[in-house]
């Protein structure tokens, strides 16, 4: 969900080509699979397309490909920090809900074992936090674009 939301937000602000969002799990359980149908449906209800998503796995080597590593819960944050090869890698790891000043918890709950309404609720949390994250990133992305142009 977060990958699709960030891509859409970046495109909306004319920065779709400048912001690369890649979702990856810490486990290999679903590598190559589509997103859960309830995820795709929740995204679709918001006008977003998650149908092309395929699960990938994050690895320690992924740190060099990313400027920022956003975890959706503290368990994944701990795993990612443990995989960091150095302090620079560890410094790239952050929690998505840290960008939501009204978040009651830093964890985005996993809606998998809940009903479809939980997918909509989780998507709302992700949208709010992603808007906060994008607000932090946008000035730097725009400034780097001006330097390159």
């Amino acid at each position: 969900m977060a990958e699709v939301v960030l891509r859409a937000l970046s495109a909306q602000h004319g920065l779709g080509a400048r912001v690369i969002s890649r979702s990856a799990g810490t486990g290999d359980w679903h590598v190559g699979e589509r997103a859960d149908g309830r995820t795709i449906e929740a995204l679709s209800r918001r006008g977003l397309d998650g149908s092309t998503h395929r699960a990938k796995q994050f690895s320690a080597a992924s740190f060099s490909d990313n400027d920022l590593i956003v975890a959706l819960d503290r368990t994944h944050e701990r795993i990612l920090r443990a995989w960091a090869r150095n302090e620079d890698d560890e410094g790239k790891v952050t929690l998505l809900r840290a960008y939501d000043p009204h978040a009651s918890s830093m964890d985005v709950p996993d809606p998998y074992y809940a009903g479809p309404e939980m997918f909509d609720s989780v998507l709302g949390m992700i949208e709010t936090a992603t808007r906060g994250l994008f607000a932090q990133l946008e000035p730097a992305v725009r400034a780097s674009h001006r330097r390159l142009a």
Side-chain angles (χ1 to χ4, degrees):
M1 287 183 179
E3 174 184 348
V4 172
V5 170
L6 183 58
R7 283 179 191 245
L9 193 56
S10 300
Q12 231 173 31
H13 287 84
L15 296 172
R18 305 279 310 146
V19 176
I20 298 168
S21 175
R22 292 181 284 245
S23 174
T26 55
D28 64 357
W29 311 284
H30 300 288
V31 170
E33 294 178 16
R34 294 179 62 160
D36 185 287
R38 296 166 295 176
T39 295
I40 294 170
E41 290 168 9
L43 289 164
S44 180
R45 283 190 289 277
R46 297 282 217 292
L48 302 168
D49 182 10
S51 65
T52 61
H53 174 78
R54 296 295 178 270
K56 296 173 267 331
Q57 184 177 10
F58 189 91
S59 71
S62 302
F63 280 100
S64 61
D65 297 332
N66 296 281
D67 296 319
L68 185 65
I69 314 294
V70 182
L72 270 61
D73 66 40
R74 289 172 288 189
T75 298
H76 291 117
E77 178 193 32
R78 279 191 296 275
I79 291 168
L80 292 166
R81 288 185 187 280
W83 287 353
R85 300 165 298 183
N86 53 49
E87 285 183 17
D88 288 340
D89 285 354
E90 190 173 344
K92 293 179 179 184
V93 179
T94 188
L95 282 164
L96 179 62
R97 292 204 76 198
Y99 298 93
D100 178 356
H102 305 293
S104 58
S105 165
M106 288 294 104
D107 293 336
V108 174
D110 183 349
Y112 187 78
Y113 295 104
E117 66 283 345
M118 185 62 170
F119 282 78
D120 290 316
S121 176
V122 165
L123 180 53
M125 291 176 202
I126 289 171
E127 288 173 321
T128 299
T130 301
R131 282 191 297 272
L133 170 61
F134 186 79
Q136 293 285 316
L137 296 176
E138 183 180 19
V141 172
R142 287 201 186 281
S144 69
H145 180 67
R146 283 191 295 272
R147 283 194 302 269
L148 295 174

